[in-house]
Amino acid sequence: SAVISQKPSRDICQRGTSLTIQCQVDSQVTMMFWYRQQPGQSLTLIATANQGSEATYESGFVIDKFPISRPNLTFSTLTVSNMSPEDSSIYLCSARDRGPLGTQYFGPGTRLTVL
Amino acid sequence: GNSVTQMEGPVTLSEEAFLTINCTYTATGYPSLFWYVQYPGEGLQLLLKATKADDKGSNKGFEATYRKETTSFHLEKGSVQVSDSAVYFCALSDLDAGGTSYGKLTFGQGTILTVHP
């Protein structure tokens, strides 16, 4: 299995600012993902973080708003840019391990509040 | 496209009661099915999974059987505990074209379970 940590665990930010969330996995994984979980809602996939290349974004999410990096197999960052109150959510990092078919694991999440 | 529908919540039970959380799915291919659990203030943890029809996934007293004929994957536990209070998510993932790895996870809306002593 993979153990995933995220920093920060929570933050309160002002409108118009940006926040970068870090995700670290304790083992090499094949794929990394970023999800958003709005209050009381299910998870929505933002993008797949690709090592050494641009992330693959889902419909409704764009690189200018959510730039993502993945410089190696165990680390990724998500930036929430030019924040507004509508960006208040839990942001979850996820990774797929190298086992047969690969099981997807999740980090503890970053709880973001935008004022 | 793929979709997952879970029973409406929240669900409130007394300790030692029987639990069922319904989950049905729509998929274009032959998906694998999962239950994830999210305890208060934490991320999601994989609870159990099943990869083919009639498979039964089980863990921590929870069970779910992959029913292809009814496109369902209902979660059950015979006797719940207060510590089972959490949000439960049903999810599915298709295999890629080569059948060697899972594609994206599609989640249901989650069901909040509260267990009282």
Side-chain angles (χ1 to χ4, degrees):
Chain A
S1 64
V3 177
I4 303 173
S5 59
Q6 287 183 233
K7 289 194 298 186
S9 59
R10 59 178 63 228
D11 208 342
I12 300 173
C13 301
Q14 295 297 318
R15 181 195 299 260
T17 63
S18 297
L19 175 71
T20 296
I21 303 167
Q22 298 181 4
C23 175
Q24 180 73 54
V25 189
D26 70 340
S27 58
Q28 291 189 351
V29 293
T30 57
M31 300 178 77
M32 295 182 74
F33 308 89
W34 287 97
Y35 288 81
R36 182 172 72 184
Q37 186 180 20
Q38 294 180 302
Q41 303 294 314
S42 187
L43 282 74
T44 302
L45 180 63
I46 296 172
T48 302
N50 300 309
Q51 186 202 356
S53 64
E54 190 172 293
T56 304
Y57 290 84
E58 297 299 303
S59 175
F61 297 95
V62 295
I63 187 171
D64 289 346
K65 177 66 176 177
F66 297 102
I68 288 170
S69 77
R70 188 181 174 191
N72 57 52
L73 287 173
T74 63
F75 184 80
S76 177
T77 66
L78 167 74
T79 299
V80 186
S81 302
N82 188 25
M83 289 184 284
S84 66
E86 292 71 34
D87 294 321
S88 297
S89 286
I90 299 172
Y91 291 87
L92 291 141
C93 175
S94 177
R96 183 171 295 153
D97 72 13
R98 290 176 172 267
L101 298 183
T103 296
Q104 197 161 331
Y105 298 91
F106 287 81
T110 296
R111 186 179 296 272
L112 171 63
T113 302
V114 184
L115 303 177
Chain B
N2 296 338
S3 67
V4 177
T5 302
Q6 291 181 230
M7 66 183 291
E8 293 288 327
V11 175
T12 303
L13 295 172
S14 298
E15 206 164 26
E16 300 183 3
F18 184 85
L19 168 70
T20 300
I21 300 178
N22 289 339
C23 171
T24 58
Y25 68 89
T26 302
T28 53
Y30 196 150
S32 291
L33 303 173
F34 307 84
W35 277 99
Y36 282 84
V37 58
Q38 185 176 33
Y39 297 103
E42 299 184 12
L44 273 70
Q45 300 177 24
L46 179 64
L47 182 60
L48 52 86
K49 68 180 182 182
T51 58
K52 61 182 186 295
D54 300 325
D55 264 3
K56 177 184 284 188
S58 61
N59 186 27
K60 300 182 181 179
F62 290 90
E63 294 182 339
T65 301
Y66 190 143
R67 301 289 188 199
K68 193 170 189 289
E69 64 277 12
T70 56
T71 62
S72 65
F73 192 54
H74 304 322
L75 182 68
E76 297 181 337
K77 187 175 184 181
S79 175
V80 294
Q81 305 300 312
V82 172
S83 57
D84 293 327
S85 298
V87 183
Y88 292 82
F89 291 93
C90 185
L92 69 80
S93 179
D94 278 333
L95 289 176
D96 65 10
T100 58
S101 66
Y102 292 133
K104 301 172 197 173
L105 280 173
T106 300
F107 285 91
Q109 66 269 39
T111 301
I112 300 172
L113 171 65
T114 303
V115 181
H116 292 297

